[in-house]
Every structure is written in C-alpha cells, then in structure tokens.
Amino acid sequence: EDNSCIRIGSFHEGGIVFYLDGNGGGLISASLDQSTVASWGCHGKPINGADGTAIGTGDQNTIDILAGCTEVGIAAKICDDLTLGEYNDWFLPSKDELNEMYLNIGQGAPVNIGNFTDVSYRSSTESGANNAWTQQFAASSNAAGNQYPSSKSNMPYVRAIRRFY
C-alpha cells in the first residue's frame, strides 16, 4: 500500500487524516475527544524541551512533558496511554498540528469531519512556566480559530493524534 488514495478527511489507521506530508505520510486525529477535564500539568514549572510549535514536534513535546511532569491525569499522559484498535502511538498535538486539525477537519474546515465541540483544545506546546498553547474550536465565536496561551491548570478538551508513514 502506497497511501496514494489517502486524502484529508480519510479514515485511516485508527483516525481521521488531517495533514499530509507530501511523502505518503501525515497525521491522524482520533475520531473522538480523549478528555474534557485534563490539565496540561506542572503549573509553575517549566518543562525542558516542550516548546516545539511546528508540525512534527507534538510527539517530542509529549515525551518531554512526560519526562518532566509526573502529575496524574494530564493531557499528555492521556494521549500517550491511548490505544485505539491496534494503534498505541498517540500523542498530544503541537500548536501548529492543532491548528491544522482546526483548519482541515475541525470548525475551520468546510465540514467538521472530526466532530469537534465548540470549545478550546489543548496543545503540547508550552508557553512559559504557567501556560501552554490552546486553540478555540468554536465555529460561531469572535475567537474562532484563535490560539492563545492559557494556564496549565485550565482544562480544555484533549484530542490525541498520531503519525502515519
């Protein structure tokens, strides 16, 4: 299989394709939210390395969060522990990965294929010791699509992603 028939919005390897890398791979979002009540964790403590914003950095951010924050029930741990079907390599999306989800399968897309709720979703990208980047997925709000640092102790929704090749 060369993945040539896979498109944005296709169901593939455990979720919904929201990003294609041009080399036959890309990123997949879980079809459902993993949590509605998970903090980023370790409010007041900077996490070394969890500041990647670009597409392709969410996995490493998640690894860095888990290495530096041992709090129970945090967003990164929920994603890291997730198994859907045979896939167990899920992670919390970076700031830019989360924006691609919003634009391609979320409220910013022509059709909300991912069935995202009109709320904020958490990224793996830290913004200082007290904050992490969040994105508003509401379709009919003045803040629709906005990304902003919010307190690590806030509890926006969590949606895991994974990479495919």
Side-chain angles (χ1 to χ4, degrees):
E1 180 179 326
D2 66 2
N3 292 341
S4 63
C5 294
I6 296 171
R7 306 278 182 260
I8 299 295
S10 296
F11 287 87
H12 182 66
E13 294 187 1
I16 306 166
V17 175
F18 71 90
Y19 173 78
L20 297 170
D21 66 11
N23 296 311
L27 296 170
I28 296 168
S29 167
S31 300
L32 301 170
D33 297 329
Q34 276 58 66
S35 178
T36 61
V37 291
S39 73
W40 196 89
C42 291
H43 186 268
K45 177 184 177 186
I47 302 298
N48 187 34
D51 58 357
T53 59
I55 292 172
T57 60
D59 192 19
Q60 186 62 52
N61 283 349
T62 300
I63 291 166
D64 293 337
I65 294 165
L66 296 175
C69 183
T70 58
E71 289 180 15
V72 176
I74 61 173
K77 184 71 172 151
I78 290 168
C79 294
D80 186 63
D81 287 347
L82 181 63
T83 297
L84 291 175
E86 63 188 82
Y87 303 100
N88 63 0
D89 56 349
W90 300 90
F91 54 92
L92 189 62
S94 71
K95 179 180 182 254
D96 291 353
E97 290 164 345
L98 189 62
N99 191 54
E100 285 294 309
M101 288 167 61
Y102 172 79
L103 293 172
N104 292 329
I105 63 169
Q107 304 287 27
V111 177
N112 182 9
I113 299 166
N115 295 312
F116 289 91
T117 306
D118 285 348
V119 296
S120 296
Y121 283 83
R122 176 66 79 195
S123 85
S124 63
T125 306
E126 185 177 50
S127 178
N130 297 315
N131 297 307
W133 285 94
T134 301
Q135 183 155 358
Q136 179 57 254
F137 271 62
S140 58
S141 146
N142 289 338
N146 286 354
Q147 292 186 304
Y148 52 91
S150 67
S151 174
K152 289 179 178 179
S153 60
N154 286 352
M155 297 192 181
Y157 280 39
V158 175
R159 182 73 69 101
I161 69 170
R162 62 179 300 277
R163 185 175 296 112
F164 73 94
Y165 303 95

PDB file of all heavy atoms in Angstrom, residues 100-140:
ATOM      1  N   GLU A 100      -3.724  22.789  12.254  1.00  0.00           N
ATOM      2  CA  GLU A 100      -4.053  22.010  11.047  1.00  0.00           C
ATOM      3  C   GLU A 100      -5.335  21.208  11.258  1.00  0.00           C
ATOM      4  O   GLU A 100      -6.150  21.086  10.350  1.00  0.00           O
ATOM      5  CB  GLU A 100      -2.906  21.070  10.676  1.00  0.00           C
ATOM      6  CG  GLU A 100      -1.724  21.761  10.056  1.00  0.00           C
ATOM      7  CD  GLU A 100      -2.006  22.363   8.703  1.00  0.00           C
ATOM      8  OE1 GLU A 100      -2.531  21.659   7.816  1.00  0.00           O
ATOM      9  OE2 GLU A 100      -1.691  23.552   8.518  1.00  0.00           O
ATOM     10  N   MET A 101      -5.514  20.663  12.463  1.00  0.00           N
ATOM     11  CA  MET A 101      -6.753  19.934  12.764  1.00  0.00           C
ATOM     12  C   MET A 101      -7.941  20.879  12.640  1.00  0.00           C
ATOM     13  O   MET A 101      -8.953  20.534  12.030  1.00  0.00           O
ATOM     14  CB  MET A 101      -6.700  19.356  14.188  1.00  0.00           C
ATOM     15  CG  MET A 101      -5.757  18.205  14.338  1.00  0.00           C
ATOM     16  SD  MET A 101      -5.402  17.760  16.054  1.00  0.00           S
ATOM     17  CE  MET A 101      -7.006  17.314  16.661  1.00  0.00           C
ATOM     18  N   TYR A 102      -7.815  22.057  13.230  1.00  0.00           N
ATOM     19  CA  TYR A 102      -8.897  23.047  13.180  1.00  0.00           C
ATOM     20  C   TYR A 102      -9.240  23.397  11.726  1.00  0.00           C
ATOM     21  O   TYR A 102     -10.408  23.414  11.340  1.00  0.00           O
ATOM     22  CB  TYR A 102      -8.490  24.303  13.955  1.00  0.00           C
ATOM     23  CG  TYR A 102      -9.470  25.431  13.783  1.00  0.00           C
ATOM     24  CD1 TYR A 102     -10.660  25.454  14.497  1.00  0.00           C
ATOM     25  CD2 TYR A 102      -9.214  26.464  12.895  1.00  0.00           C
ATOM     26  CE1 TYR A 102     -11.583  26.471  14.328  1.00  0.00           C
ATOM     27  CE2 TYR A 102     -10.130  27.488  12.725  1.00  0.00           C
ATOM     28  CZ  TYR A 102     -11.312  27.491  13.435  1.00  0.00           C
ATOM     29  OH  TYR A 102     -12.223  28.503  13.258  1.00  0.00           O
ATOM     30  N   LEU A 103      -8.219  23.685  10.929  1.00  0.00           N
ATOM     31  CA  LEU A 103      -8.425  24.137   9.553  1.00  0.00           C
ATOM     32  C   LEU A 103      -8.921  23.041   8.613  1.00  0.00           C
ATOM     33  O   LEU A 103      -9.698  23.319   7.696  1.00  0.00           O
ATOM     34  CB  LEU A 103      -7.121  24.706   8.990  1.00  0.00           C
ATOM     35  CG  LEU A 103      -6.623  25.999   9.639  1.00  0.00           C
ATOM     36  CD1 LEU A 103      -5.231  26.339   9.114  1.00  0.00           C
ATOM     37  CD2 LEU A 103      -7.600  27.138   9.410  1.00  0.00           C
ATOM     38  N   ASN A 104      -8.488  21.799   8.816  1.00  0.00           N
ATOM     39  CA  ASN A 104      -8.754  20.745   7.845  1.00  0.00           C
ATOM     40  C   ASN A 104      -9.880  19.784   8.195  1.00  0.00           C
ATOM     41  O   ASN A 104     -10.517  19.238   7.288  1.00  0.00           O
ATOM     42  CB  ASN A 104      -7.477  19.953   7.572  1.00  0.00           C
ATOM     43  CG  ASN A 104      -6.452  20.794   6.837  1.00  0.00           C
ATOM     44  OD1 ASN A 104      -6.800  21.668   6.058  1.00  0.00           O
ATOM     45  ND2 ASN A 104      -5.190  20.549   7.109  1.00  0.00           N
ATOM     46  N   ILE A 105     -10.113  19.540   9.486  1.00  0.00           N
ATOM     47  CA  ILE A 105     -11.199  18.619   9.848  1.00  0.00           C
ATOM     48  C   ILE A 105     -12.046  19.149  11.005  1.00  0.00           C
ATOM     49  O   ILE A 105     -12.959  18.480  11.467  1.00  0.00           O
ATOM     50  CB  ILE A 105     -10.678  17.204  10.197  1.00  0.00           C
ATOM     51  CG1 ILE A 105      -9.775  17.221  11.422  1.00  0.00           C
ATOM     52  CG2 ILE A 105      -9.999  16.571   8.996  1.00  0.00           C
ATOM     53  CD1 ILE A 105      -9.459  15.834  11.973  1.00  0.00           C
ATOM     54  N   GLY A 106     -11.734  20.351  11.470  1.00  0.00           N
ATOM     55  CA  GLY A 106     -12.456  20.934  12.597  1.00  0.00           C
ATOM     56  C   GLY A 106     -13.394  22.037  12.170  1.00  0.00           C
ATOM     57  O   GLY A 106     -13.828  22.107  11.018  1.00  0.00           O
ATOM     58  N   GLN A 107     -13.667  22.931  13.082  1.00  0.00           N
ATOM     59  CA  GLN A 107     -14.629  24.010  12.843  1.00  0.00           C
ATOM     60  C   GLN A 107     -14.183  24.989  11.760  1.00  0.00           C
ATOM     61  O   GLN A 107     -15.011  25.700  11.205  1.00  0.00           O
ATOM     62  CB  GLN A 107     -14.888  24.767  14.150  1.00  0.00           C
ATOM     63  CG  GLN A 107     -15.364  23.897  15.294  1.00  0.00           C
ATOM     64  CD  GLN A 107     -16.794  23.428  15.151  1.00  0.00           C
ATOM     65  OE1 GLN A 107     -17.310  23.294  14.053  1.00  0.00           O
ATOM     66  NE2 GLN A 107     -17.416  23.160  16.266  1.00  0.00           N
ATOM     67  N   GLY A 108     -12.888  25.044  11.455  1.00  0.00           N
ATOM     68  CA  GLY A 108     -12.405  25.936  10.402  1.00  0.00           C
ATOM     69  C   GLY A 108     -12.487  25.324   9.014  1.00  0.00           C
ATOM     70  O   GLY A 108     -12.230  25.983   8.013  1.00  0.00           O
ATOM     71  N   ALA A 109     -12.853  24.053   8.934  1.00  0.00           N
ATOM     72  CA  ALA A 109     -12.975  23.344   7.651  1.00  0.00           C
ATOM     73  C   ALA A 109     -14.387  23.522   7.098  1.00  0.00           C
ATOM     74  O   ALA A 109     -15.308  23.872   7.831  1.00  0.00           O
ATOM     75  CB  ALA A 109     -12.686  21.856   7.859  1.00  0.00           C
ATOM     76  N   PRO A 110     -14.581  23.284   5.795  1.00  0.00           N
ATOM     77  CA  PRO A 110     -15.931  23.361   5.240  1.00  0.00           C
ATOM     78  C   PRO A 110     -16.919  22.435   5.958  1.00  0.00           C
ATOM     79  O   PRO A 110     -18.091  22.750   6.099  1.00  0.00           O
ATOM     80  CB  PRO A 110     -15.740  22.943   3.777  1.00  0.00           C
ATOM     81  CG  PRO A 110     -14.317  23.258   3.476  1.00  0.00           C
ATOM     82  CD  PRO A 110     -13.571  23.036   4.766  1.00  0.00           C
ATOM     83  N   VAL A 111     -16.434  21.265   6.402  1.00  0.00           N
ATOM     84  CA  VAL A 111     -17.257  20.319   7.151  1.00  0.00           C
ATOM     85  C   VAL A 111     -16.456  19.874   8.376  1.00  0.00           C
ATOM     86  O   VAL A 111     -15.281  19.523   8.255  1.00  0.00           O
ATOM     87  CB  VAL A 111     -17.611  19.081   6.289  1.00  0.00           C
ATOM     88  CG1 VAL A 111     -18.396  18.070   7.106  1.00  0.00           C
ATOM     89  CG2 VAL A 111     -18.397  19.496   5.059  1.00  0.00           C
ATOM     90  N   ASN A 112     -17.075  19.891   9.531  1.00  0.00           N
ATOM     91  CA  ASN A 112     -16.437  19.480  10.781  1.00  0.00           C
ATOM     92  C   ASN A 112     -16.392  17.949  10.846  1.00  0.00           C
ATOM     93  O   ASN A 112     -17.101  17.314  11.612  1.00  0.00           O
ATOM     94  CB  ASN A 112     -17.214  20.069  11.965  1.00  0.00           C
ATOM     95  CG  ASN A 112     -16.609  19.741  13.309  1.00  0.00           C
ATOM     96  OD1 ASN A 112     -15.516  19.204  13.416  1.00  0.00           O
ATOM     97  ND2 ASN A 112     -17.338  20.064  14.354  1.00  0.00           N
ATOM     98  N   ILE A 113     -15.546  17.352  10.026  1.00  0.00           N
ATOM     99  CA  ILE A 113     -15.428  15.900   9.919  1.00  0.00           C
ATOM    100  C   ILE A 113     -15.040  15.276  11.250  1.00  0.00           C
ATOM    101  O   ILE A 113     -15.455  14.186  11.583  1.00  0.00           O
ATOM    102  CB  ILE A 113     -14.387  15.509   8.841  1.00  0.00           C
ATOM    103  CG1 ILE A 113     -14.809  16.026   7.481  1.00  0.00           C
ATOM    104  CG2 ILE A 113     -14.186  13.999   8.792  1.00  0.00           C
ATOM    105  CD1 ILE A 113     -13.708  15.976   6.447  1.00  0.00           C
ATOM    106  N   GLY A 114     -14.212  15.994  12.026  1.00  0.00           N
ATOM    107  CA  GLY A 114     -13.726  15.470  13.289  1.00  0.00           C
ATOM    108  C   GLY A 114     -14.712  15.579  14.432  1.00  0.00           C
ATOM    109  O   GLY A 114     -14.417  15.167  15.547  1.00  0.00           O
ATOM    110  N   ASN A 115     -15.904  16.131  14.165  1.00  0.00           N
ATOM    111  CA  ASN A 115     -16.922  16.306  15.204  1.00  0.00           C
ATOM    112  C   ASN A 115     -16.370  16.999  16.446  1.00  0.00           C
ATOM    113  O   ASN A 115     -16.603  16.575  17.573  1.00  0.00           O
ATOM    114  CB  ASN A 115     -17.565  14.959  15.573  1.00  0.00           C
ATOM    115  CG  ASN A 115     -18.337  14.397  14.409  1.00  0.00           C
ATOM    116  OD1 ASN A 115     -19.127  15.089  13.778  1.00  0.00           O
ATOM    117  ND2 ASN A 115     -18.091  13.138  14.089  1.00  0.00           N
ATOM    118  N   PHE A 116     -15.618  18.065  16.218  1.00  0.00           N
ATOM    119  CA  PHE A 116     -15.064  18.834  17.327  1.00  0.00           C
ATOM    120  C   PHE A 116     -16.156  19.664  17.978  1.00  0.00           C
ATOM    121  O   PHE A 116     -17.052  20.161  17.304  1.00  0.00           O
ATOM    122  CB  PHE A 116     -13.934  19.742  16.835  1.00  0.00           C
ATOM    123  CG  PHE A 116     -12.700  18.985  16.454  1.00  0.00           C
ATOM    124  CD1 PHE A 116     -12.512  18.540  15.159  1.00  0.00           C
ATOM    125  CD2 PHE A 116     -11.736  18.708  17.404  1.00  0.00           C
ATOM    126  CE1 PHE A 116     -11.379  17.838  14.809  1.00  0.00           C
ATOM    127  CE2 PHE A 116     -10.595  17.998  17.068  1.00  0.00           C
ATOM    128  CZ  PHE A 116     -10.416  17.560  15.765  1.00  0.00           C
ATOM    129  N   THR A 117     -16.065  19.805  19.271  1.00  0.00           N
ATOM    130  CA  THR A 117     -17.019  20.573  20.052  1.00  0.00           C
ATOM    131  C   THR A 117     -16.628  22.049  20.018  1.00  0.00           C
ATOM    132  O   THR A 117     -15.469  22.380  19.807  1.00  0.00           O
ATOM    133  CB  THR A 117     -16.998  20.053  21.510  1.00  0.00           C
ATOM    134  OG1 THR A 117     -17.221  18.643  21.467  1.00  0.00           O
ATOM    135  CG2 THR A 117     -18.061  20.682  22.350  1.00  0.00           C
ATOM    136  N   ASP A 118     -17.584  22.933  20.242  1.00  0.00           N
ATOM    137  CA  ASP A 118     -17.329  24.383  20.264  1.00  0.00           C
ATOM    138  C   ASP A 118     -16.645  24.794  21.567  1.00  0.00           C
ATOM    139  O   ASP A 118     -17.221  25.496  22.389  1.00  0.00           O
ATOM    140  CB  ASP A 118     -18.644  25.158  20.126  1.00  0.00           C
ATOM    141  CG  ASP A 118     -19.186  25.142  18.717  1.00  0.00           C
ATOM    142  OD1 ASP A 118     -18.462  24.733  17.800  1.00  0.00           O
ATOM    143  OD2 ASP A 118     -20.338  25.544  18.531  1.00  0.00           O
ATOM    144  N   VAL A 119     -15.422  24.326  21.747  1.00  0.00           N
ATOM    145  CA  VAL A 119     -14.649  24.609  22.956  1.00  0.00           C
ATOM    146  C   VAL A 119     -13.186  24.809  22.575  1.00  0.00           C
ATOM    147  O   VAL A 119     -12.817  24.722  21.414  1.00  0.00           O
ATOM    148  CB  VAL A 119     -14.750  23.441  23.980  1.00  0.00           C
ATOM    149  CG1 VAL A 119     -16.170  23.266  24.480  1.00  0.00           C
ATOM    150  CG2 VAL A 119     -14.217  22.153  23.387  1.00  0.00           C
ATOM    151  N   SER A 120     -12.350  25.022  23.574  1.00  0.00           N
ATOM    152  CA  SER A 120     -10.904  25.108  23.370  1.00  0.00           C
ATOM    153  C   SER A 120     -10.285  23.721  23.487  1.00  0.00           C
ATOM    154  O   SER A 120     -10.726  22.905  24.283  1.00  0.00           O
ATOM    155  CB  SER A 120     -10.278  26.020  24.419  1.00  0.00           C
ATOM    156  OG  SER A 120     -10.752  27.325  24.273  1.00  0.00           O
ATOM    157  N   TYR A 121      -9.234  23.505  22.691  1.00  0.00           N
ATOM    158  CA  TYR A 121      -8.470  22.261  22.740  1.00  0.00           C
ATOM    159  C   TYR A 121      -7.024  22.577  23.116  1.00  0.00           C
ATOM    160  O   TYR A 121      -6.480  23.616  22.737  1.00  0.00           O
ATOM    161  CB  TYR A 121      -8.516  21.540  21.389  1.00  0.00           C
ATOM    162  CG  TYR A 121      -9.819  20.825  21.162  1.00  0.00           C
ATOM    163  CD1 TYR A 121     -10.936  21.493  20.669  1.00  0.00           C
ATOM    164  CD2 TYR A 121      -9.957  19.471  21.460  1.00  0.00           C
ATOM    165  CE1 TYR A 121     -12.138  20.841  20.477  1.00  0.00           C
ATOM    166  CE2 TYR A 121     -11.157  18.806  21.264  1.00  0.00           C
ATOM    167  CZ  TYR A 121     -12.249  19.503  20.772  1.00  0.00           C
ATOM    168  OH  TYR A 121     -13.439  18.843  20.585  1.00  0.00           O
ATOM    169  N   ARG A 122      -6.411  21.669  23.827  1.00  0.00           N
ATOM    170  CA  ARG A 122      -5.068  21.822  24.376  1.00  0.00           C
ATOM    171  C   ARG A 122      -4.007  21.328  23.401  1.00  0.00           C
ATOM    172  O   ARG A 122      -4.175  20.301  22.750  1.00  0.00           O
ATOM    173  CB  ARG A 122      -4.986  21.004  25.666  1.00  0.00           C
ATOM    174  CG  ARG A 122      -3.645  20.967  26.327  1.00  0.00           C
ATOM    175  CD  ARG A 122      -3.187  22.295  26.870  1.00  0.00           C
ATOM    176  NE  ARG A 122      -3.823  22.581  28.137  1.00  0.00           N
ATOM    177  CZ  ARG A 122      -3.834  23.777  28.688  1.00  0.00           C
ATOM    178  NH1 ARG A 122      -3.272  24.794  28.081  1.00  0.00           N
ATOM    179  NH2 ARG A 122      -4.417  23.980  29.840  1.00  0.00           N
ATOM    180  N   SER A 123      -2.892  22.063  23.317  1.00  0.00           N
ATOM    181  CA  SER A 123      -1.735  21.602  22.559  1.00  0.00           C
ATOM    182  C   SER A 123      -0.646  21.142  23.529  1.00  0.00           C
ATOM    183  O   SER A 123      -0.727  21.384  24.734  1.00  0.00           O
ATOM    184  CB  SER A 123      -1.185  22.719  21.666  1.00  0.00           C
ATOM    185  OG  SER A 123      -0.290  23.554  22.379  1.00  0.00           O
ATOM    186  N   SER A 124       0.391  20.534  22.983  1.00  0.00           N
ATOM    187  CA  SER A 124       1.533  20.097  23.784  1.00  0.00           C
ATOM    188  C   SER A 124       2.584  21.188  23.910  1.00  0.00           C
ATOM    189  O   SER A 124       3.605  20.997  24.565  1.00  0.00           O
ATOM    190  CB  SER A 124       2.166  18.854  23.153  1.00  0.00           C
ATOM    191  OG  SER A 124       2.666  19.153  21.863  1.00  0.00           O
ATOM    192  N   THR A 125       2.364  22.337  23.298  1.00  0.00           N
ATOM    193  CA  THR A 125       3.361  23.402  23.267  1.00  0.00           C
ATOM    194  C   THR A 125       3.259  24.298  24.499  1.00  0.00           C
ATOM    195  O   THR A 125       2.242  24.967  24.714  1.00  0.00           O
ATOM    196  CB  THR A 125       3.199  24.254  21.991  1.00  0.00           C
ATOM    197  OG1 THR A 125       3.224  23.390  20.848  1.00  0.00           O
ATOM    198  CG2 THR A 125       4.303  25.285  21.889  1.00  0.00           C
ATOM    199  N   GLU A 126       4.322  24.298  25.273  1.00  0.00           N
ATOM    200  CA  GLU A 126       4.383  25.120  26.482  1.00  0.00           C
ATOM    201  C   GLU A 126       4.635  26.579  26.114  1.00  0.00           C
ATOM    202  O   GLU A 126       5.290  26.885  25.127  1.00  0.00           O
ATOM    203  CB  GLU A 126       5.508  24.606  27.383  1.00  0.00           C
ATOM    204  CG  GLU A 126       5.587  25.292  28.720  1.00  0.00           C
ATOM    205  CD  GLU A 126       6.668  24.702  29.601  1.00  0.00           C
ATOM    206  OE1 GLU A 126       7.814  24.564  29.118  1.00  0.00           O
ATOM    207  OE2 GLU A 126       6.367  24.390  30.760  1.00  0.00           O
ATOM    208  N   SER A 127       4.112  27.474  26.932  1.00  0.00           N
ATOM    209  CA  SER A 127       4.339  28.909  26.762  1.00  0.00           C
ATOM    210  C   SER A 127       4.722  29.489  28.123  1.00  0.00           C
ATOM    211  O   SER A 127       3.956  30.206  28.743  1.00  0.00           O
ATOM    212  CB  SER A 127       3.067  29.580  26.228  1.00  0.00           C
ATOM    213  OG  SER A 127       3.257  30.976  26.102  1.00  0.00           O
ATOM    214  N   GLY A 128       5.875  29.106  28.614  1.00  0.00           N
ATOM    215  CA  GLY A 128       6.343  29.556  29.914  1.00  0.00           C
ATOM    216  C   GLY A 128       5.946  28.594  31.025  1.00  0.00           C
ATOM    217  O   GLY A 128       5.242  27.606  30.803  1.00  0.00           O
ATOM    218  N   ALA A 129       6.373  28.889  32.225  1.00  0.00           N
ATOM    219  CA  ALA A 129       6.173  28.008  33.374  1.00  0.00           C
ATOM    220  C   ALA A 129       4.703  27.838  33.748  1.00  0.00           C
ATOM    221  O   ALA A 129       4.318  26.816  34.310  1.00  0.00           O
ATOM    222  CB  ALA A 129       6.951  28.531  34.578  1.00  0.00           C
ATOM    223  N   ASN A 130       3.871  28.823  33.418  1.00  0.00           N
ATOM    224  CA  ASN A 130       2.478  28.786  33.858  1.00  0.00           C
ATOM    225  C   ASN A 130       1.456  28.525  32.759  1.00  0.00           C
ATOM    226  O   ASN A 130       0.283  28.320  33.058  1.00  0.00           O
ATOM    227  CB  ASN A 130       2.116  30.108  34.541  1.00  0.00           C
ATOM    228  CG  ASN A 130       2.931  30.339  35.780  1.00  0.00           C
ATOM    229  OD1 ASN A 130       3.103  29.435  36.593  1.00  0.00           O
ATOM    230  ND2 ASN A 130       3.465  31.543  35.925  1.00  0.00           N
ATOM    231  N   ASN A 131       1.874  28.565  31.502  1.00  0.00           N
ATOM    232  CA  ASN A 131       0.916  28.489  30.393  1.00  0.00           C
ATOM    233  C   ASN A 131       1.325  27.489  29.323  1.00  0.00           C
ATOM    234  O   ASN A 131       2.486  27.139  29.191  1.00  0.00           O
ATOM    235  CB  ASN A 131       0.769  29.871  29.729  1.00  0.00           C
ATOM    236  CG  ASN A 131       0.204  30.897  30.660  1.00  0.00           C
ATOM    237  OD1 ASN A 131      -0.844  30.700  31.259  1.00  0.00           O
ATOM    238  ND2 ASN A 131       0.909  32.018  30.806  1.00  0.00           N
ATOM    239  N   ALA A 132       0.323  27.069  28.551  1.00  0.00           N
ATOM    240  CA  ALA A 132       0.524  26.245  27.359  1.00  0.00           C
ATOM    241  C   ALA A 132      -0.455  26.732  26.303  1.00  0.00           C
ATOM    242  O   ALA A 132      -1.501  27.297  26.624  1.00  0.00           O
ATOM    243  CB  ALA A 132       0.293  24.774  27.677  1.00  0.00           C
ATOM    244  N   TRP A 133      -0.129  26.513  25.041  1.00  0.00           N
ATOM    245  CA  TRP A 133      -0.969  26.990  23.947  1.00  0.00           C
ATOM    246  C   TRP A 133      -2.258  26.179  23.839  1.00  0.00           C
ATOM    247  O   TRP A 133      -2.271  24.965  23.982  1.00  0.00           O
ATOM    248  CB  TRP A 133      -0.214  26.949  22.624  1.00  0.00           C
ATOM    249  CG  TRP A 133       0.787  28.045  22.539  1.00  0.00           C
ATOM    250  CD1 TRP A 133       2.110  27.980  22.879  1.00  0.00           C
ATOM    251  CD2 TRP A 133       0.543  29.383  22.131  1.00  0.00           C
ATOM    252  NE1 TRP A 133       2.700  29.207  22.697  1.00  0.00           N
ATOM    253  CE2 TRP A 133       1.762  30.082  22.236  1.00  0.00           C
ATOM    254  CE3 TRP A 133      -0.588  30.066  21.682  1.00  0.00           C
ATOM    255  CZ2 TRP A 133       1.883  31.432  21.906  1.00  0.00           C
ATOM    256  CZ3 TRP A 133      -0.461  31.398  21.344  1.00  0.00           C
ATOM    257  CH2 TRP A 133       0.749  32.067  21.453  1.00  0.00           C
ATOM    258  N   THR A 134      -3.320  26.902  23.575  1.00  0.00           N
ATOM    259  CA  THR A 134      -4.663  26.360  23.430  1.00  0.00           C
ATOM    260  C   THR A 134      -5.271  26.964  22.173  1.00  0.00           C
ATOM    261  O   THR A 134      -4.871  28.037  21.749  1.00  0.00           O
ATOM    262  CB  THR A 134      -5.504  26.737  24.680  1.00  0.00           C
ATOM    263  OG1 THR A 134      -4.856  26.201  25.827  1.00  0.00           O
ATOM    264  CG2 THR A 134      -6.907  26.208  24.610  1.00  0.00           C
ATOM    265  N   GLN A 135      -6.229  26.269  21.559  1.00  0.00           N
ATOM    266  CA  GLN A 135      -6.903  26.811  20.384  1.00  0.00           C
ATOM    267  C   GLN A 135      -8.408  26.701  20.550  1.00  0.00           C
ATOM    268  O   GLN A 135      -8.932  25.673  20.962  1.00  0.00           O
ATOM    269  CB  GLN A 135      -6.475  26.082  19.108  1.00  0.00           C
ATOM    270  CG  GLN A 135      -7.117  26.690  17.870  1.00  0.00           C
ATOM    271  CD  GLN A 135      -6.330  26.439  16.617  1.00  0.00           C
ATOM    272  OE1 GLN A 135      -5.268  25.836  16.638  1.00  0.00           O
ATOM    273  NE2 GLN A 135      -6.838  26.915  15.501  1.00  0.00           N
ATOM    274  N   GLN A 136      -9.085  27.786  20.188  1.00  0.00           N
ATOM    275  CA  GLN A 136     -10.550  27.851  20.248  1.00  0.00           C
ATOM    276  C   GLN A 136     -11.116  27.201  18.988  1.00  0.00           C
ATOM    277  O   GLN A 136     -10.791  27.604  17.880  1.00  0.00           O
ATOM    278  CB  GLN A 136     -10.998  29.305  20.355  1.00  0.00           C
ATOM    279  CG  GLN A 136     -12.479  29.515  20.397  1.00  0.00           C
ATOM    280  CD  GLN A 136     -13.164  28.767  21.520  1.00  0.00           C
ATOM    281  OE1 GLN A 136     -13.832  27.779  21.263  1.00  0.00           O
ATOM    282  NE2 GLN A 136     -12.989  29.220  22.736  1.00  0.00           N
ATOM    283  N   PHE A 137     -11.951  26.190  19.147  1.00  0.00           N
ATOM    284  CA  PHE A 137     -12.557  25.493  18.023  1.00  0.00           C
ATOM    285  C   PHE A 137     -13.995  25.932  17.763  1.00  0.00           C
ATOM    286  O   PHE A 137     -14.638  25.399  16.884  1.00  0.00           O
ATOM    287  CB  PHE A 137     -12.507  23.975  18.244  1.00  0.00           C
ATOM    288  CG  PHE A 137     -11.254  23.325  17.719  1.00  0.00           C
ATOM    289  CD1 PHE A 137     -10.012  23.660  18.221  1.00  0.00           C
ATOM    290  CD2 PHE A 137     -11.323  22.369  16.724  1.00  0.00           C
ATOM    291  CE1 PHE A 137      -8.861  23.051  17.750  1.00  0.00           C
ATOM    292  CE2 PHE A 137     -10.173  21.751  16.241  1.00  0.00           C
ATOM    293  CZ  PHE A 137      -8.936  22.100  16.755  1.00  0.00           C
ATOM    294  N   ALA A 138     -14.516  26.877  18.525  1.00  0.00           N
ATOM    295  CA  ALA A 138     -15.891  27.327  18.317  1.00  0.00           C
ATOM    296  C   ALA A 138     -16.059  27.877  16.901  1.00  0.00           C
ATOM    297  O   ALA A 138     -15.231  28.640  16.424  1.00  0.00           O
ATOM    298  CB  ALA A 138     -16.268  28.383  19.338  1.00  0.00           C
ATOM    299  N   ALA A 139     -17.144  27.500  16.261  1.00  0.00           N
ATOM    300  CA  ALA A 139     -17.386  27.913  14.882  1.00  0.00           C
ATOM    301  C   ALA A 139     -17.979  29.306  14.789  1.00  0.00           C
ATOM    302  O   ALA A 139     -17.728  30.035  13.844  1.00  0.00           O
ATOM    303  CB  ALA A 139     -18.318  26.913  14.207  1.00  0.00           C
ATOM    304  N   SER A 140     -18.767  29.694  15.751  1.00  0.00           N
ATOM    305  CA  SER A 140     -19.519  30.947  15.632  1.00  0.00           C
ATOM    306  C   SER A 140     -19.160  31.940  16.728  1.00  0.00           C
ATOM    307  O   SER A 140     -20.013  32.587  17.291  1.00  0.00           O
ATOM    308  CB  SER A 140     -21.015  30.635  15.694  1.00  0.00           C
ATOM    309  OG  SER A 140     -21.306  29.973  16.910  1.00  0.00           O
TER     310      SER A 140
END
